[in-house]
Structure formats: C-alpha cells, structure tokens
Amino acid sequence: MTVMKFGGTSVADAPAIARLVAIVGDRWRAHPGEAPLVVVSALAGVTDRLMAVADEAGAGRGGAVSDAVRDLERRHLQLLDDILAAAGATTDARTATTADEVRREIAASFDRLGQVAGALSVVGEVSPRSRDAIAATGELVSSRLVRLALTLAGIDAAWADARSALVTSGEFGAATPDMTATREALAASVAPHLARGTVVVVGGYVGATREGIVTTLGRGGSDYSAAIFGAALGAREIQIWTDVDGMLTADPRLVDHADLVDTLSFGEAAELAYFGAKVLHPSTILPAIEHDIPVRILNSRHPERQGSRIVAARPGGRPGGAGLAAAPARPGLTAVAAKRGVTRLDVSSTRMLMAHGFLARVFAIFERHRTPVDVVTTSEVSVSVTIDDTRALDAIVSELRAFCEVAVEPGMAIVAAVGDDLRDDPTLASRVLGALAGMRVAMVSQGGSRRNITFVLSEADAAAAMRRLHGERRPAREATA
Ligand code: ADP
Ligand code: ASP
Ligand code: MG
C-alpha cells in the first residue's frame, strides 16, 4: 500500500480538497484492492490559530479565546458547505446523513475546545499537555472533512481516529512513536479497511499515549505521522503532497530560481530537513530509512509532475565510494538550507578546556535540560555550540558559569550546504568555503557524514549566504551554461 500525506495548503479550501479527491481517486481506481492511507494536516493556518488560542488562554484573555474558537468553527462549517455545494446533485440520503454527522462532530469538537480553552483562561495557565489537546483539534476535524469529500465523490473511504491509531510517548509537543503499540493499533483499526479496498483518512501530527492522553509530534509533524504509518503498515511508498514541486535546491522564499532536485539520498534529505528545508519534517526520514521505503515529494496543484524521490542511494552517486567508475549524475551540491532563530553559546575556560572530562561535563548540562545541540566547533580555549530551543537557556548558562565563561549570541542562523558529492569531490568544499568570502561567519563545521558544511552567521546575513552558496552548487562551466 501507499501512504499519501496532504499538507495544510493541500487541504486549505474546497478547490484544494477537490484536487486531493482527484489525486486519491485516480490512485484508488488504478490500484484496486490496494487502497491508500491518506494522512492530512489541519487546514492551512489552523494550527497557528490554535496555538494562538492556547496563548490567549494562558494570558487569561477569555474573550479572545471564544472569538477565535467561533471563527475557527465558522471556517470549518463553511468548508463543509462548500464541499457539499461542489458535490451538488450527487448527494443522496446516505451521504447527507454522513454530512450531518460531520457537521455535528465539527460543532462538538469546537464546543469542547471552547470549554477547555475557556477554563484554562480562567486559571491563566496552559500546560504542554493542554496545548497539545488544543492543537490536535485541527487535524481531527480536517480529516473528517476530507473523508466526507472522498465519500461524496463515490470513493469508498473510512475515517480513523489518530488518537487511537498513533500511540506515542508522553513528551507533549515532541512525542515519539511507540512502534509496537502503533502497529497493533493499525492492524486492528486501519489495515482491515485497506485490505477491503477502503481508503482510510487519518489526521497527521496527532497521537495519544497508551493511557489515551492526546499528544502531538511537533510542528510540521504530519510528515512524520505519514512515515510512521508507512513503516508500521509496510508501505511501498510514502508520498508527501505539498505546494511546491518537490525538494528544491533552496528555500524558494529566500532564493529565486531554486531548481527541483529529482532524486536525493536519505542522508541528504535528512540533513536538509534538519537544517531547515521545511518541506520535510526532520524526523520523517527515520522510519523510511529503517524500512527502506522510498519517499516522494509531489505538488498537489500539479500531480502530473514527477516530484522528488528520496531513496537509499541516488543513481550515479557514490555511496561508500568504492571503485565505482561512473561519474555522479549530478555533480556538485544537492541543495542548501537555512535555519533561523538559532542561539550560539561560546563556552571558554583557559584552565580546563583540555582537561579530561571537560567536554563531557559541558554536554551533560545540555543533555540534562533536554536541549539538543545542532552545530559544535572547538578551539584550544573554547567550545562553541548552537541551540534552537532556548527554554532552558538561563538554567544552562548558570550551570556552565559554575566552571567556565559563557558568551551568548542570539539572532543567529545556520546555513547548510548539502551534497553527497562533498565526500568525493575535494574541490567542492573549497568552492563552498570560498563562496562566503568576506562575510562574517561565526562558526564553520563539516558534519561527520561529510555530506554537509554548515555555517553559523547572523540571521541578517542568512539569505545572502544562501544565495551565494546556491550560486556555487554546480561546477563553474555548468553554472554559467
Ligand atoms: P505542507 O503544509 O504541505 O506540509 P510546508 O509549508 O510544511 O507544506 O512545506 C512546504 C514549504 O517548504 C514550501 O512552500 C517552501 O516554501 C518551503 N521550503 C523550504 N525549503 C524548501 C526546499 N528546499 N524545497 C522545497 N520547499 C522548501
Ligand atoms: N498542522 C501541523 C502544523 O502546522 C502539522 C503539519 O502541518 O504537519 O504544524
Ligand atoms: Mg509541512
């Protein structure tokens, strides 16, 4: 079977949902007996709005909470009407009943949301657990609307509740899957439908613990849900349907003329996603790698385009390098990515840096505060690290200051140049370094995988750095061709 994930803009309104229905319907008809699992995000912008509801509740603004909840409910009910209007004469008594059920479910979901967020606004405090319960509303209702639209188009479709399909840890806002329990849950509630040729629609991003407490996988996590479901169900392919043609050579919002990367390796995709290529959630690739399931990124506005394929090793590339005479199909960098909102910490100690156990002591502090470190560089007297989660920054800094000096520099960005060819082509790394000549670069690091070179510089310089690196991604004669 295939997992087909549709992001927020691909379910934003009735025309987007009509495109989704056409794409899923084509697949369903072309592969009888092999129904896809359809994973959907919340409607475009809805998760942001739900986060704002949580913020308003936390600030004790009950009035703003109820206004926002009413707006969200109105938008979803309007979309329901638009979907019904588009289906027009094809609506029969059975589908009318289904539509009524969906209308009631939407109303009930937003009633519950209003009650929960209203109560929280009285206390003026929102825990990570309550925030997840609020955020989950978006996918729980969008998935019902998509299931309805498929049914109205004559496609046999069922709805699955993500809160029972995806079993996770209890780390709210960053839950991880319990694969064994998820596999069991899917075998009971999803696989039998698929085996009968019924399409199953489920919300991404959302799960629940074994005890049934609602969790989320973190922003952008619907991609991750799709990969988890794909791995658990033994999918042949995981399709990520979005609003661009695939993985592009750079963020199209920052760089003009970004090109499509037609094929990239799991390693390249993982690095690009990790360093800011928003088109793919950074964890998506892990379940796909483990089960060697190809991932495809496709444009829901242009389903006829080929998209990007992410596979174990790209053709013509030289994984492992050994003895392959063929030149890489696409020499040079694969793509560049940027991550903003990064904070740099420069930790120095003239006395202790080289002392046995010093680095372990430094990193143990980040570990204790569950703060991932992205880029690390060392010199004889200092170690510099970057973090993007600053929730524990004050505590980390005060613990570090017990035995070293610490300088904190917020407002930084990581810009990463990524390509498997960095391992094989010695001139490529020097061209990449040369591209940023004259810019104030705070840190440079070549990843252990040797398929990326990362730069840490001020956020204000990130777009320019990205453009310069993007210009260097091909050998000079090709770039000017
Ligand atoms: P969805 O809602 O479908 O999950 P996202 O907004 O999460 O979509 O991701 C798609 C967006 O990612 C694109 O519209 C684009 O602006 C952005 N993006 C950033 N870097 C890249 C890249 N290298 N290739 C493609 N898209 C990128
Ligand atoms: N709706 C969630 C978000 O906006 C998850 C996703 O779209 O992948 O972060
Ligand atoms: Mg996304």
Side-chain angles (χ1 to χ4, degrees):
M1 51 77 67
T2 300
V3 176
M4 307 175 85
K5 178 260 167 176
F6 291 83
T9 46
S10 304
V11 294
D13 49 23
I17 290 183
R19 287 191 290 272
L20 175 155
V21 168
I23 292 166
V24 172
D26 280 353
R27 167 114 216 151
W28 182 68
R29 283 182 209 96
H31 298 80
E34 212 202 279
L37 175 68
V38 175
V39 179
V40 297
S41 291
L43 314 189
V46 164
T47 309
D48 286 342
R49 298 293 309 277
L50 290 167
M51 292 295 179
V53 166
D55 292 340
E56 298 286 13
R61 289 191 282 266
V65 165
S66 60
D67 288 350
V69 172
R70 215 172 305 123
D71 271 358
L72 281 166
E73 177 173 20
R74 220 177 287 132
R75 176 168 171 201
H76 285 82
L77 290 175
Q78 181 62 52
L79 179 54
L80 172 68
D81 288 338
D82 294 346
I83 290 170
L84 289 171
T90 60
T91 324
D92 59 23
R94 197 170 57 84
T95 47
T97 312
T98 312
D100 284 342
E101 273 168 27
V102 173
R103 195 186 306 279
R104 277 198 300 278
E105 271 305 328
I106 291 174
S109 295
F110 286 105
D111 269 359
R112 270 194 303 275
L113 174 64
Q115 280 162 17
V116 169
L120 293 169
S121 72
V122 175
V123 196
E125 199 179 309
V126 176
S127 66
R129 173 175 166 172
S130 321
R131 184 175 283 274
D132 269 6
I134 292 171
T137 312
E139 271 72 6
L140 292 172
V141 290
S142 68
S143 52
R144 289 192 183 269
L145 288 167
V146 167
R147 185 263 166 152
L148 172 68
L150 289 166
T151 307
L152 291 174
I155 298 165
D156 185 12
W159 180 78
D161 190 333
R163 294 164 296 188
S164 39
L166 178 48
V167 185
T168 72
S169 67
E171 289 149 279
F172 299 107
T176 52
D178 175 336
M179 286 306 281
T180 309
T182 299
R183 219 173 275 121
E184 283 166 14
L186 293 173
S189 61
V190 170
H193 284 297
L194 298 177
R196 277 198 299 273
T198 303
V199 176
V200 177
V201 184
V202 65
Y205 176 60
V206 174
T209 63
R210 277 177 186 271
E211 294 73 36
I213 298 162
V214 179
T215 56
T216 71
L217 303 179
R219 296 307 304 271
S222 292
D223 300 336
Y224 191 20
S225 296
I228 294 166
F229 291 139
L233 290 162
R236 270 202 286 180
E237 185 172 81
I238 297 161
Q239 300 180 346
I240 306 291
W241 290 88
T242 184
D243 60 353
V244 284
D245 281 350
M247 179 66 81
L248 305 176
T249 49
D251 186 335
R253 294 165 298 183
L254 298 179
V255 172
D256 295 332
H257 315 300
D259 298 320
L260 178 72
V261 182
D262 51 13
T263 310
L264 62 163
S265 68
F266 280 140
E268 290 172 326
E271 306 265 7
L272 287 166
Y274 187 72
F275 289 116
K278 183 181 174 238
V279 69
L280 210 59
H281 182 276
S283 304
T284 311
I285 219 72
L286 301 174
I289 295 179
E290 257 167 51
H291 296 80
D292 199 7
I293 305 171
V295 176
R296 241 180 342 140
I297 306 176
L298 293 147
N299 190 337
S300 63
R301 285 179 181 274
H302 296 284
E304 73 290 354
R305 296 185 184 164
Q306 57 162 6
S308 295
R309 225 173 118 74
I310 306 171
V311 294
R314 66 182 159 78
R318 288 174 282 188
L324 282 184
R330 182 168 37 68
L333 290 178
T334 298
V336 298
K339 183 163 156 178
R340 289 153 184 280
V342 168
T343 298
R344 186 170 91 101
L345 282 85
D346 196 40
V347 180
S348 56
S349 163
T350 40
R351 283 177 304 120
M352 294 192 60
L353 194 74
M354 282 302 135
H356 178 71
F358 177 82
L359 288 178
R361 210 169 148 193
V362 168
F363 285 108
I365 293 174
F366 290 93
E367 175 61 28
R368 212 163 33 249
H369 291 283
R370 305 182 130 271
T371 299
V373 166
D374 288 332
V375 183
V376 183
T377 60
T378 60
S379 77
E380 196 178 343
V381 291
S382 75
V383 49
S384 298
V385 303
T386 67
I387 58 173
D388 69 354
D389 178 353
T390 52
R391 282 176 296 181
L393 182 62
D394 291 345
I396 290 171
V397 169
S398 81
E399 286 183 38
L400 286 169
R401 285 203 170 128
F403 62 104
C404 36
E405 280 121 55
V406 186
V408 178
E409 197 174 11
M412 305 298 281
I414 299 172
V415 176
V418 175
D420 284 348
D421 286 341
L422 279 166
R423 282 193 298 223
D424 303 313
D425 176 357
T427 65
L428 185 54
S430 59
R431 271 199 288 128
V432 166
L433 294 168
L436 297 196
M439 295 189 89
R440 195 190 155 268
V441 176
M443 293 163 71
V444 184
S445 152
Q446 177 161 45
S449 66
R450 292 181 47 229
R451 68 165 72 84
N452 77 61
I453 298 181
T454 51
F455 300 91
V456 177
L457 29 70
S458 140
E459 263 180 346
D461 292 334
M466 208 166 169
R467 282 192 287 271
R468 285 211 212 167
L469 291 170
H470 191 251
E472 276 303 328
R473 74 197 187 285
R474 295 271 175 279
R477 58 197 140 69
E478 247 187 80
T480 53

